[in-house]
């Protein structure tokens, strides 16, 4: 097919930095330099893109976390009405779930962790390529998701979206809050239910939460034990399984001098 202009596509990268105890062994596969999917790679003639050298085993990202720490996902957008009017045609397309191929020269192809065609919804892109980063961050694993691409390639559409089709950022925020359930109950004070998390110049705090000054390890452990009682009453399943209703003990450490100065 004759082409006038490469179709717009943008890349979504997600990075999950493993915790120090996690293995950093890579599962990536090295292409023979001149071959992707049995065809010649642009890597042999140009250094335009690096990702063609590596791709993960991977279409399994939908069901399990990718084994790579850094994954690169490509999303094509459809041609806009204006581009169609101007007679522009698609020159790169998604060939399956991991290959981007050139229409004019089919031997020109790049492989990525995941490739989405123009009919894919943002929700699907999120579920496959981003959700695991949010889940990981809830478990304490640092993660970054960012989009890059030429102007008008669809970065804003993918990351921010709109009311009708929310982007990765609102979907991630919603997910994060549904994971932690938005509810903070004070386990040391039965009256302290559904407390608000607030912020002031000193930092983030839970409004109205009961604070205890602990003076010894035994005192601290007795308070933790006291908090376990109401939690098990509220969430008996916590006895048997790990749940998202984790007791979060606010640890406020003051140096002795600060405590005494605040008492005077
Ligand atoms: N997957 C998609 N499906 C339908 N329309 C899309 C898609 N991606 C982008 N668009 C549309 O294409 C146009 C350009 O997209 P967008 O503004 O997101 O690009 P951008 O990469 O953020 O551009 P810039 O870098 O100039 O800010 C917008 O009108 C947007 O609605």
């Amino acid at each position: 097919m004759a082409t006038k202009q490469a179709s717009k596509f943008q890349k979504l990268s997600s990075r999950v930095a493993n915790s120090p105890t996690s293995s950093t062994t890579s599962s990536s596969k090295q292409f023979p330099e001149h071959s992707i999917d049995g065809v010649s790679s642009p890597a042999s003639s140009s250094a335009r893109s690096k990702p063609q050298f590596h791709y993960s085993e991977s279409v399994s990202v939908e069901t399990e976390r990718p084994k790579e720490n850094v994954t690169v996902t490509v999303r094509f957008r459809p041609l806009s009405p204006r581009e169609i009017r101007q007679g522009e045609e698609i020159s790169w397309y998604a060939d399956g779930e991991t290959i981007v191929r050139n229409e004019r020269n089919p031997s020109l192809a790049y492989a990525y962790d995941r490739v989405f065609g123009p009919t894919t919804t943002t929700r699907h892109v999120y579920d496959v390529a981003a959700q695991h980063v949010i889940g990981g961050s809830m478990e304490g694993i640092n993660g970054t998701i960012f989009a890059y691409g030429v102007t008008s390639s669809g970065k804003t559409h993918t990351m921010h979206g709109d009311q009708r089709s929310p982007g990765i950022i609102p979907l991630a925020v919603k997910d994060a809050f549904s994971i932690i359930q938005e509810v903070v109950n004070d386990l040391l004070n039965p009256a302290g239910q559904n407390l608000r998390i607030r912020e002031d110049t000193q930092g983030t705090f839970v409004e109205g939460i009961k604070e205890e000054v602990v003076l010894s390890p035994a005192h601290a452990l007795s308070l933790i034990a006291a908090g376990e009682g109401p939690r098990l009453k509220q969430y008996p399943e916590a006895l048997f399984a790990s749940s998202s209703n984790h007791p979060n003990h606010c640890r406020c450490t003051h140096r002795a001098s600060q405590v005494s100065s605040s008492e005077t």
Side-chain angles (χ1 to χ4, degrees), residues 216-228:
S216 67
H219 188 192
L221 292 173
S222 74
L223 287 171
I224 291 169
E228 283 298 301

Side-chain angles (χ1 to χ4, degrees), residues 69-87:
N69 284 347
V70 179
T71 59
V72 180
T73 301
V74 174
R75 182 187 196 187
F76 285 90
R77 71 159 169 78
L79 289 175
S80 69
R82 186 179 56 81
E83 288 164 336
I84 293 170
R85 271 198 311 279
Q86 290 173 347

Side-chain angles (χ1 to χ4, degrees), residues 75-78 150-157:
R75 182 187 196 187
F76 285 90
R77 71 159 169 78
V150 297
T151 188
S152 264
S153 56
K155 301 181 293 295
T156 310
H157 178 88

